[in-house]
Amino acid sequence: AQSVTQLGSHVSVSEGALVLLRCNYSSSVPPYLFWYVQYPNQGLQLLLKYTTGATLVKGINGFEAEFKKSETSFHLTKPSAHMSDAAEYFCAVSEGAGGFKTIFGAGTRLFVKA
Amino acid sequence: DAGVIQSPRHEVTEMGQEVTLRCKPISGHDYLFWYRQTMMRGLELLIYFNNNVPIDDSGMPEDRFSAKMPNASFSTLKIQPSEPRDSAVYFCASTPRTRNNEQFFGPGTRLTVL
């Protein structure tokens, strides 16, 4: 069985500060890992994904995440927050090659202060 | 491409009524997913299809819920009879086999059952 834990339901940062959203996962098989972003009254859209290969993955809007197998983590970072980054972020895990069922974390709402 | 299309965007109904939510996936996508999002339970996978065939419906909460996919371009999620606790945002998502389970979400249907 797979599971995802996002640490912190709310994170607040100042504009220009580092963004760090934490995600830990559990999977019995090599996982595929995802970060999605949801803006108010919209569906989720993909920020970035890890499948195989390079463990540091870069996504849209300057976000990146690093897959750390030993720590079962996939934390999302951005060096400098922008007001437009304010949204809800979801970490997700699926079973890797051949597995399409995806489990989503509870979400972390990011607030950006001017 | 038009993206995943869901209708209606908002639905208000009274307890006991039948509700039908509709989804048109992106053309060429093999997999279709139905999710429910609530504040209390987050984003839950209800059911998913591969090539119009239901693969996993273990997330469907009760027999009141049913989903069909009569062809590759259309799916429905039906609730009969509806109850106030069914109030939520329902998302449809699709993905092609070739995208490593990156899911493309529709804008959602906000359901309110009075």
Side-chain angles (χ1 to χ4, degrees), chain B residues 45-89:
Chain B
L45 175 65
L46 301 177
I47 185 171
Y48 77 95
F49 296 82
N50 175 217
N51 292 327
N52 315 336
V53 176
I55 303 300
D56 186 340
D57 66 354
S58 60
M60 296 286 263
E62 301 171 34
D63 290 345
R64 298 184 296 107
F65 286 70
S66 62
K68 294 182 180 179
M69 193 165 185
N71 57 62
S73 60
F74 184 66
S75 177
T76 60
L77 178 68
K78 185 176 293 186
I79 308 172
Q80 165 63 17
S82 58
E83 297 182 3
R85 59 193 168 120
D86 302 330
S87 298
V89 181

Side-chain angles (χ1 to χ4, degrees), chain A residues 50-66:
Chain A
Y50 168 80
T51 55
T52 58
T55 57
L56 181 65
V57 292
K58 296 185 184 299
I60 61 172
N61 301 337
F63 284 93
E64 62 182 37
E66 186 171 11

Side-chain angles (χ1 to χ4, degrees), chain A residues 13-24:
Chain A
V13 300
S14 298
E15 193 172 21
L18 171 72
V19 176
L20 171 61
L21 304 183
R22 299 178 189 272
C23 173
N24 288 90

Side-chain angles (χ1 to χ4, degrees), chain A:
Chain A
Q2 298 173 299
S3 66
V4 177
T5 302
Q6 292 185 238
L7 300 176
S9 58
H10 296 83
V11 170
S12 182
V13 300
S14 298
E15 193 172 21
L18 171 72
V19 176
L20 171 61
L21 304 183
R22 299 178 189 272
C23 173
N24 288 90
Y25 71 91
S26 172
S27 179
S28 57
V29 298
Y32 287 176
L33 295 162
F34 308 83
W35 277 99
Y36 286 84
V37 62
Q38 184 180 29
Y39 298 101
N41 300 314
Q42 295 185 25
L44 282 68
Q45 60 186 84
L46 184 74
L47 271 180
L48 50 79
K49 66 183 179 185
Y50 168 80
T51 55
T52 58
T55 57
L56 181 65
V57 292
K58 296 185 184 299
I60 61 172
N61 301 337
F63 284 93
E64 62 182 37
E66 186 171 11
F67 170 58
K68 292 188 176 181
K69 184 178 179 180
S70 62
E71 300 177 8
T72 61
S73 70
F74 191 57
H75 301 330
L76 181 71
T77 60
K78 181 175 180 178
S80 177
H82 191 273
M83 297 296 289
S84 61
D85 296 326
E88 187 145 23
Y89 293 80
F90 293 89
C91 182
V93 60
S94 70
E95 292 175 339
F100 284 82
K101 185 173 182 176
T102 301
I103 306 299
F104 286 82
T108 298
R109 184 166 295 278
L110 177 66
F111 297 92
V112 182
K113 300 174 291 186

